[in-house]
Amino acid sequence: MGEIWTLSSKSYRDAIGLLQRAGSTVAIAVLILAASGFISIGVDRLINTMLGRQVAGTLLNIVGIWFAAPYLVSLYRLLLNNQTVPPETLRNTQATRRFFAWSAVLAFITAAPGYFFAAVMPPGLTSITPENAELTYLVWPTFFMLIAVWIFAIRTITLVPAAAIDADAGIAAAVQQTRGRFWFVVGAVTVPLLPVMLLGMLLTLNTGGILSIVFSIGMALAVLILAVTVSANLYRWLLDNPK
């Protein structure tokens, strides 16, 4: 547990350091990803089917990742290699293309339970209650898919940082790095991220209007920068402490 607290503290320090050293890069990445999210909300109103909305949302998120990729790669390189690389020079590099490719793959995989639920949900079923006969075959398969996706995401958490610095990035390499460390990785991700996410949700839900939007953007900024620092520090720790 001590190492988890050490990694969490380092992630917070690194997040503050990134804001000081590359604040504009962080801000642009957040704005790009937030814009794709807002566009997705607008597109939802134009698509009638749940599955169509799910797929459109994933595609728009991937478009956002494409535009944000050079900025995120620049942040990872600053954290892992202490390199200050202008994002505009990274657009057509192999590292950025691999970073985007793996990020897109992960986006589709994590969206799979939603696709399944939307695909099998009968058109006339507007809500799920214990009285619905469809409850069992809708909820339980979706639940088990969510568990499988969660396990996959934990075991492959080093994919994106490795791709960002043009290192050995692949599912086999990521699974090998996290082998026997599953619950350690869960703790190292949960301890720093959960308090920030809960605080952001409370602030957003208990406010309205412009203030709610400000808190939402602030939460997105905090979660993004912490996600980068947490995954980067975990990647470095797993490399330095092979099983």
Side-chain angles (χ1 to χ4, degrees):
M1 192 66 182
E3 289 176 325
I4 290 177
W5 285 111
T6 300
L7 277 174
S8 300
S9 300
K10 187 177 188 306
S11 294
Y12 279 108
R13 291 196 302 271
D14 287 347
I16 295 171
L18 276 186
L19 286 174
Q20 294 172 338
R21 300 173 64 186
S24 60
T25 301
V26 173
I28 292 172
V30 170
L31 288 174
I32 291 172
L33 296 174
S36 69
F38 283 124
I39 294 172
S40 177
I41 294 173
V43 170
D44 280 353
R45 300 179 180 180
L46 304 176
I47 301 176
N48 295 324
T49 65
M50 183 185 296
L51 181 59
R53 290 193 292 269
Q54 292 276 351
V55 174
T58 304
L59 292 174
L60 285 169
N61 286 337
I62 289 173
V63 170
I65 293 170
W66 166 254
F67 285 106
Y71 300 92
L72 296 173
V73 170
S74 177
L75 294 176
Y76 274 112
R77 293 201 167 192
L78 182 58
L79 282 169
L80 291 169
N81 294 340
N82 201 28
Q83 293 178 325
T84 304
V85 185
E88 55 271 15
T89 67
L90 293 167
R91 168 60 64 189
N92 295 314
T93 61
Q94 178 181 347
T96 299
R97 290 194 295 268
R98 293 175 72 197
F99 176 90
F100 167 73
W102 281 119
S103 298
V105 168
L106 292 174
F108 274 115
I109 290 174
T110 54
Y115 294 162
F116 171 80
F117 185 86
V120 301
M121 185 173 181
L125 186 63
T126 57
S127 63
I128 295 179
T129 65
E131 290 76 25
N132 293 133
E134 295 88 351
L135 178 66
T136 300
Y137 81 78
L138 277 176
V139 172
W140 285 109
T142 305
F143 173 75
F144 287 123
M145 287 183 70
L146 285 169
I147 295 296
V149 166
W150 175 64
I151 293 172
F152 178 84
I154 294 297
R155 293 301 306 273
T156 58
I157 196 168
T158 62
L159 259 177
V160 169
I165 61 172
D166 213 12
D168 183 17
I171 292 176
V175 169
Q176 178 61 38
Q177 287 170 344
T178 56
R179 189 182 302 278
R181 283 358 191 330
F182 180 83
W183 291 112
F184 175 83
V185 174
V186 170
V189 171
T190 303
V191 168
L193 281 173
L194 187 60
V196 174
M197 294 176 68
L198 289 176
L199 177 61
M201 289 173 62
L202 287 173
L203 291 174
T204 302
L205 292 173
N206 291 308
T207 55
I210 295 177
L211 197 58
S212 177
I213 296 174
V214 170
F215 282 138
S216 296
I217 295 173
M219 184 179 73
L221 174 66
V223 170
L224 174 68
I225 194 169
L226 268 177
V228 171
T229 57
V230 166
S231 58
N233 286 330
L234 260 174
Y235 173 65
R236 177 63 65 196
W237 188 91
L238 290 169
L239 282 182
D240 294 340
N241 298 274
K243 192 74 172 176

